[in-house]
């Protein structure tokens, strides 16, 4: 279950790209510098922060919704352990590294999110260690103390959006975690707020949260947009319940009930205290939609008195309505203008009998408003397109207003041009995720949803009774995406696209009035006449079909289609009846791709049909499409009853059976849209308006936009033009993958010290003998510095110069220095300062060597750069070089889980101590192309923005490893060296690890041999290697050089040269020192006993005798010590000091040297 979260019973995958991007956005707040910028941002969850909302919000942002206060979701999602276990997390984010404390229980849930974070310092005990509750609590506190030890200013996400609290550092001081900091012994030993300056980062973080990325956009599409569309579906459902008679009694309050309830209820739960301007929903009828009415409107007090029957000109029936729906807690909003009455008159056999002239007179006002509305729609769409390309609201406004005026001209409404020019207002607003409007000039507005709107207010009545007709409005919520592309000549251009999120809300809708219903019924009577009609004889019954056109107002509409011998009748619940006679049809194209695809009937018509066609179906290409669902009655009836009749010349219908290649671009798009609609629906097709017919996810352009947005949301670093074809497979700029040609292929092998990467290199060379020209680039033993890009680039230049001449194409194998980020090597190779050299090399594959035994410093804390050396998008193969025979070993399982999470696409190879034996494995490691595969390339762009220009900063971890190189000429004692190496493991100290030696490598001589040997020791794994150095020993007869300096390179934390020299002195014969002269007081008790034992039988002075046990004087006093003992001691000291003087003199003559003497 690791890597998945469950929301409302459904699992959602983790997106490491977004997790990394979000972390970078938070870290960007720490890069400004100065006193106002903290050194780190602290986030503690659960009881440790007293369930602080701001910390929970930050965790929810970084972990894509894993954390939240929705107890219902948590109850179902995390049944394995209590919620407090999941909340047992401490996070300290610094500018170039992250400290994370967690427990073994929630570790697997967090790992998929954090394994891609760069320079991660993980504090997590093993399960066995965690069983000791007291030790676990002490570990948490000590981990927290270690996290913050290098900080002075610490930021805290004190408040969450919608629940603002005045920052109080003493409230933070009450957090249990902060209080534990003051504990003596395991804590910091003082009050936290006395040692560190706390800063509130809430408002800055809110700006970061409002930035859209693929995950938050997915939430908008799958949650916010779905709820938003439901409100429109509810609106249409309630409107469709009204008949042509009852609709007259409909009031503005009734029509807008769904929108008003949705908005007001959402506001109650949002708790937004932000005072910035926001939008509101409205519904206004007819003349009651003037600018004054709009500005004075309040959704809390809708009008019951303004009805359809009384809001038209001079109190007549309204001809239109304007309406807007707004998401209360999100960025979505859109407005529409809909109509009461139809705009067309069905074409009938006898127009005089139908009252056609009278009907057109009544519909002229509806048609006029529809035409003005159509121009407004075109204006908004052109404004959106302009803004997405230029990011200029001023240019978009100019384009939109000019498009509106040109639209009026195209529909012969030039007389309205001058009067409407000043009444047309176009606007673009940026709306954040909480629904607040923010200025377009704000830096954060680039990555938020925007609303483009137009209002044409107080439209004058220039044709009839004078006065105003009201206003028309139209708006859409859209999101733009822009990426920078670096062309081959080095210039950078911008590629933009956009998506309209609310496009599935119908742009045009109308409801039939009484006169429209009568005309529609007259047209339907044609089915009952057997002859003498304008359509001929009815061939089929009414069956379901869709009608659609390329008009910007048109959406696929479901109705009933009846085929006639000389035409078509289509009956629609809103449009009424539409008749297409052979007199108006220019061509009919029938495209039926297969048995499971939608069959499309394209009708290209004459302009004479326009008065008899609903206005939203008018299109510039004068083409309608009728879609017949596969295996439907209409589809079967067309083949069985219609096709044979229409093919006859007497039908007068020019029918063509066509393939897709014979369709125009518009026709192909319409068919694709209809096919997507069919694919998204389960039969039987729901009744119209039960829900919006097409959801956003079914729109054909969505996939391309999401691919584009996934790259643009990362940042503005450029993309190379040559990579576009791989990043966008469906793009027109698809470029074939270029072969490497004569380029030198570089194979890179990375690995920490102790990973056996050098042995892997040796095995590869042995197994690839057929490639005669192998060159290996190894870290220089003469340098104790870390990786240097300039040194590698100089090597490449020298290599290229030396390889000029006859022979096969050489191969280059690069071994990375120990704790080196793989991306640093990649950027050094790909962005050589000499373009000629740069063009001669190509990276074939990158392989990481991982030895589980040498991967973790303590607990689950990995050595620096372990995961960076296995990065997704860079490394294609990971070779495990330890514990290969123990797949179930806990350490092996832990490291494999860690690496797999960091690189889900890498191939895993088992090769004990680097011994690769399978040809398939060798081919993977030596691949010429895996580095440039599309999935690898895309991963690099989204995980490492700027890599293609060498501008991605890899950063360093909180733990700094140092190297010390110690040179000497004297031989070492082999047994002493081995003993003291193995003693290093027991001397390892816990965090902060100061003074620990983790790796020893070098070339030395031992006293038992004159040969130079290569030694290598890894402290954590305990692996010691001592091998004869073949490179420096001559293979030809002759004297051997014995004065070559030995050296050892030590890797560790906080190492000092003097300390390492003292350690090395322990590995040599101990140097003899001068002996001090003896004195009476320096003699040991044993020496005194020995003197007495040797001289106890010497002659006694006068007055003493020995009774066999003790010495007795003339007074009878007894003693155990010889009476002349003082003399004996003096004589002993004199003789001993003569020997010491002789020894010391001999030492002076010998002149014994120190191990490090020159």
């Amino acid at each position: 279950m690791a890597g998945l979260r469950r929301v409302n019973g459904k699992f959602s995958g983790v997106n490491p790209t977004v997790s990394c991007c979000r972390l970078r956005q938070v870290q960007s707040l720490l890069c400004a510098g100065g006193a106002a910028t903290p050194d780190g941002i602290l986030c503690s969850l659960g009881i440790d922060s007293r369930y602080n909302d701001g910390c929970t919000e930050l965790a929810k942002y970084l972990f894509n919704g894993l954390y939240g206060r929705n107890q219902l979701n948590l109850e179902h999602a995390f049944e394995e352990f209590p919620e407090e276990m999941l909340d047992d997390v401490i996070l300290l984010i610094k500018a170039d590294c992250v400290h994370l404390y967690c427990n073994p229980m929630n570790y697997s849930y967090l790992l998929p999110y954090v394994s891609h974070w760069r320079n991660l310092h993980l504090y997590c005990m093993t399960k066995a260690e965690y069983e000791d509750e007291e030790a676990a609590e002490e570990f948490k506190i000590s981990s927290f103390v270690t996290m913050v030890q290098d900080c002075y200013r610490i930021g805290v996400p004190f408040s969450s959006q919608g629940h603002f609290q005045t920052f109080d550092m003493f409230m933070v001081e009450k957090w249990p975690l902060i209080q534990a900091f003051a504990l003596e012994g395991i804590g910091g030993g003082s009050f936290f707020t006395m040692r560190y300056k706390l800063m509130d980062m809430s408002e800055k973080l809110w700006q970061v949260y409002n930035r859209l990325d693929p995950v938050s956009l997915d939430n908008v599409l799958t949650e916010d947009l779905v709820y938003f569309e439901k409100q429109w579906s509810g609106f249409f459902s309630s409107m469709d319940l009204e008949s042509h008679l009852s609709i007259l009694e409909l009031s503005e309050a009734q029509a807008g009930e769904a929108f008003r309830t949705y908005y007001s209820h959402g506001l109650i739960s949002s708790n937004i205290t932000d005072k910035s301007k926001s939008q509101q929903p409205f519904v206004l009828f007819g003349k009651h939609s003037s600018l004054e009415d709009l500005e004075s409107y309040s959704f809390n007090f809708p009008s019951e008195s303004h009805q359809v029957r009384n809001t038209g000109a001079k109190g007549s029936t309204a001809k239109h309505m304007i309406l807007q729906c707004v998401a209360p807690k999100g960025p979505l909003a859109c407005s529409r203008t809909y109509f009461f009455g139809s705009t067309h008159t069905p074409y009938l056999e006898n127009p005089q009998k139908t009252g056609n002239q009278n009907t057109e007179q009544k519909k002229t006002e509806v048609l006029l408003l529809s035409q003005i509305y159509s121009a407004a729609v075109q204006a908004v769409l052109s404004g959106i397109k302009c803004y997405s390309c230029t990011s200029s609201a001023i240019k978009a406004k100019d384009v939109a207003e000019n498009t509106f005026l040109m639209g009026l001209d195209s529909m012969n409404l030039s007389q309205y041009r001058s009067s409407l020019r000043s009444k047309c207002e176009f606007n673009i607003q940026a709306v954040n995720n909480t629904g607040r409007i923010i200025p377009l000039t704000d830096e954060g507005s680039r990555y938020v949803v925007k609303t483009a709107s137009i209002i044409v207010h107080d439209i004058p009545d220039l044709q009839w009774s004078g006065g105003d007709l009201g206003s028309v409005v139209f708006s859409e919520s859209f999101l733009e995406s822009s990426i920078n592309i670096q062309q081959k000549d080095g210039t950078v251009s911008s590629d933009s696209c956009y998506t309209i999120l609310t496009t599935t809300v119908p742009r045009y809708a109308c409801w039939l009035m009484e006169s429209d219903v009568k005309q529609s019924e007259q047209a339907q009577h044609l089915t009952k006449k057997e002859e003498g009609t304008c359509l001929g004889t009815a061939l089929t019954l009414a069956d379901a079909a869709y009608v659609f056109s390329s008009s910007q107002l048109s959406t696929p509409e479901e109705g009933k289609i009846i085929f006639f011998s000389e035409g078509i009748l289509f009956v629609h619940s809103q449009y009424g009846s539409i008749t297409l006679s052979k007199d108006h049809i220019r061509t009919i194209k029938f495209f039926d791709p297969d048995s499971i695809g939608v069959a499309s009937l394209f009708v290209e018509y004459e302009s004479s049909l326009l008065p008899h066609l609903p206005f939203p179906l008018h299109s510039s290409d004068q083409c309608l499409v009728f879609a017949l669902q596969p295996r439907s009655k209409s589809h079967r009836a067309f083949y069985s009853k219609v096709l044979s009749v229409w093919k006859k010349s007497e039908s007068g219908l020019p029918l063509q059976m066509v393939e897709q290649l014979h369709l125009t671009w518009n026709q192909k798009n319409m068919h694709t849209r209809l096919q997507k609609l069919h694919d998204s629906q389960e039969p039987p097709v729901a009744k119209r308006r039960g829900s919006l017919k097409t959801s956003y996810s079914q729109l054909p352009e969505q996939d391309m936009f999401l691919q584009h947005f996934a790259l643009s949301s990362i940042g503005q670093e450029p993309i190379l033009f040559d990579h576009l074809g791989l990043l966008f497979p469906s793009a027109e700029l698809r470029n074939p993958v270029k072969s490497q040609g004569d380029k030198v292929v570089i194979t890179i092998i990375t690995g920490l010290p102790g990973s056996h990467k050098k042995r892997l290199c040796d095995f590869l060379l042995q197994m690839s003998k057929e490639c005669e020209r192998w060159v290996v680039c190894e870290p220089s033993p003469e340098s104790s510095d870390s990786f240097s890009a300039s040194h590698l680039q100089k090597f490449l230049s020298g290599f290229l110069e030396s390889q000029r001449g006859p022979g096969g194409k050489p191969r280059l194998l690069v071994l990375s220095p120990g704790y080196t980020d793989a991306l640093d090597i990649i950027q050094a190779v790909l962005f050589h300062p000499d373009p000629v050299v740069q063009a001669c090399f190509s990276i074939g594959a990158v392989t990481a060597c991982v030895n589980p035994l040498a991967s973790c410093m303590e607990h689950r804390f990995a050595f620096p750069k372990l995961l960076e050396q296995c990065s997704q998008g860079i490394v294609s193969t990971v070779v495990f070089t330890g514990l290969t025979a123990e797949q179930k070993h806990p350490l092996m399982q832990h490291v494999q889980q860690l690496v797999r999470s960091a690189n889900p696409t890498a191939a895993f190879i088992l090769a004990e101590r680097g011994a690769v034996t399978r040809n398939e494995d060798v081919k993977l490691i030596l691949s010429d192309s895996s580095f440039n595969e599309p999935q690898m390339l895309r991963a690099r762009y989204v995980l490492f923005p700027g890599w293609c220009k060498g501008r991605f900063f890899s950063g360093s971890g909180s733990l700094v490893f140092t190297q010390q190189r110690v040179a000497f000429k004297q031989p070492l004692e082999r047994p002493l060296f081995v003993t003291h190496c193995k003693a290093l493991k027991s001397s390892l100290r816990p965090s902060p690890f100061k003074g620990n030696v983790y790796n020893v490598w070098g070339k030395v001589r031992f006293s038992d041999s004159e040969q130079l040997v290569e030694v290598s020791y890894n402290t954590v794994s305990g692996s010691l290697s001592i091998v004869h150095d073949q490179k420096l020993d001559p293979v030809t007869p002759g004297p051997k050089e014995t004065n070559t300096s030995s050296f050892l390179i030590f890797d560790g934390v906080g190492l000092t040269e003097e300390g390492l020299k003292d350690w090395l002195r322990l590995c040599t014969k101990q140097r003899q020192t001068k002996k001090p002269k003896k004195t009476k007081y320096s003699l040991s008790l044993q020496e005194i006993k020995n003197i007495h034992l040797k001289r106890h039988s010497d002659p006694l002075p006068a007055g003493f005798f020995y009774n066999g046990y003790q010495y007795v004087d003339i007074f009878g006093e007894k003693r155990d010590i010889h009476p002349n003992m003082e003399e004996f001691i003096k004589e002993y000291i004199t003789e001993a000091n003569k020997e010491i003087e002789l020894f010391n003199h001999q030492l002076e003559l010998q002149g014994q040297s120190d191990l490090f003497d020159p």
Side-chain angles (χ1 to χ4, degrees), residues 462-533:
L462 301 181
Q463 299 183 20
W464 302 284
S465 57
D468 292 337
L469 300 176
S471 308
V472 299
V473 299
F474 179 75
S475 68
E476 296 277 28
S477 289
F478 71 97
L479 181 64
E480 82 272 22
S481 175
S482 176
I483 57 177
N484 292 324
I485 299 173
Q486 179 168 317
Q487 305 294 333
K488 294 181 179 180
D489 60 1
T491 59
V492 177
S493 60
S494 177
D495 180 78
S496 303
C497 67
Y498 64 92
T499 184
I500 298 177
L501 302 173
T502 51
T503 189
T504 58
V505 177
R507 291 174 180 161
Y508 190 98
C510 62
W511 288 269
L512 300 180
M513 306 307 283
E514 184 175 3
S515 58
D516 303 313
V517 172
K518 290 180 179 178
Q519 291 184 38
S520 178
E521 290 174 349
Q522 289 178 357
Q524 293 174 43
H525 289 160
L526 295 175
T527 60
K528 299 178 182 179
K529 299 180 180 180
E530 296 185 359
E531 57 184 18
T533 70

Side-chain angles (χ1 to χ4, degrees), residues 711-731:
L711 289 172
S712 71
S713 63
I714 300 299
Q716 292 303 299
E717 290 291 345
I719 292 173
L720 299 184
F721 177 82
D722 289 341
H723 293 163
L724 285 180
L726 297 174
L727 295 173
F728 300 102
S730 57

Side-chain angles (χ1 to χ4, degrees), residues 800-1017:
L800 198 62
E801 189 70 26
S802 65
Q803 295 299 320
R804 290 179 179 174
K809 186 173 71 170
R811 290 285 301 257
L812 181 60
L813 200 155
V814 175
L815 287 180
S816 71
Y819 305 99
T820 302
D821 198 308
L823 192 60
D824 290 338
I825 302 176
I826 299 299
Q827 294 186 128
V829 172
L830 294 182
F831 305 102
H832 194 287
D834 186 341
V836 175
V837 177
Q838 183 185 116
C840 293
F841 291 97
S842 173
I843 297 176
V846 182
T847 298
C849 289
V850 177
N851 181 5
L853 293 172
S855 296
C856 296
M857 297 181 67
E858 67 172 1
H859 308 298
R860 300 195 187 203
F861 176 39
F863 277 94
K865 298 299 181 179
L866 171 67
L867 294 182
E868 285 78 3
Q869 291 187 355
C870 302
S871 294
Q872 183 178 2
I874 295 177
V875 174
S876 55
T877 306
V878 178
V879 180
F880 290 93
T881 58
L883 293 177
T884 57
E886 301 178 63
Q887 289 292 294
K888 299 297 182 181
H889 193 284
L891 185 58
M892 182 67 162
Q893 291 183 329
H894 161 66
V895 174
Q896 284 195 337
Q897 179 193 19
L898 186 65
V899 175
R900 175 56 73 203
S901 182
N903 194 337
T905 60
F908 280 7
I909 294 175
L910 300 179
E912 186 67 30
R913 300 179 65 84
V916 179
T917 56
R918 300 195 317 161
N919 289 332
E920 295 83 356
D921 296 340
V922 175
K923 289 179 181 179
L924 282 175
I925 297 171
L926 301 181
S927 169
D928 291 349
S929 60
S930 65
F931 182 76
N932 293 310
E933 290 177 355
Q935 66 171 1
M936 299 280 284
L937 185 66
R938 186 172 185 85
R940 288 197 292 277
Y941 271 110
V942 296
L943 290 173
F944 317 117
W947 76 274
C948 68
K949 295 297 294 177
R951 292 202 291 252
F952 185 85
F953 176 64
S954 59
S956 60
S958 58
L959 192 63
V960 179
F961 268 62
T962 58
Q963 277 189 341
Q964 289 283 352
R965 186 177 187 273
V966 182
F968 51 94
K969 290 189 176 181
Q970 300 298 320
L972 302 179
E973 296 296 317
R974 189 187 300 262
L976 291 175
F977 179 78
V978 172
T979 300
H980 285 96
C981 277
K982 293 186 176 180
L984 287 174
K985 186 169 185 177
S986 60
S987 66
L988 291 178
R989 301 181 181 92
S991 180
F993 313 108
K994 189 172 182 180
N996 288 354
V997 175
Y998 290 100
N999 294 283
V1000 181
W1001 179 86
K1003 296 181 180 181
V1004 301
R1005 280 189 172 85
F1006 290 120
S1007 59
D1008 57 5
S1009 172
E1010 293 185 355
Q1011 292 182 342
L1012 199 65
V1013 295
E1014 181 178 307
V1015 298
S1016 175
Y1017 178 70

Side-chain angles (χ1 to χ4, degrees), residues 154 156 158-159 164-169 172 198-201:
I154 295 179
V156 178
F158 191 69
S159 303
F164 178 77
Q165 304 174 62
T166 302
F167 181 68
D168 184 356
M169 69 176 185
V172 178
L198 295 182
M199 310 170 67
D200 186 15
M201 297 295 292

Side-chain angles (χ1 to χ4, degrees), residues 747-749 757-758 761 776-779 813-817 825:
T747 298
I748 299 174
I749 298 180
K757 60 187 174 187
K758 180 65 172 61
C761 176
V776 179
C777 174
E778 300 182 57
L813 200 155
V814 175
L815 287 180
S816 71
I825 302 176

Side-chain angles (χ1 to χ4, degrees), residues 404-405 416-425 455 457:
F404 175 72
L405 297 177
Y416 284 89
R417 184 184 179 99
S418 58
S419 58
L420 294 183
R421 179 191 293 271
S422 61
K423 298 183 177 183
C424 170
E425 297 179 5
I455 174 172
H457 58 83

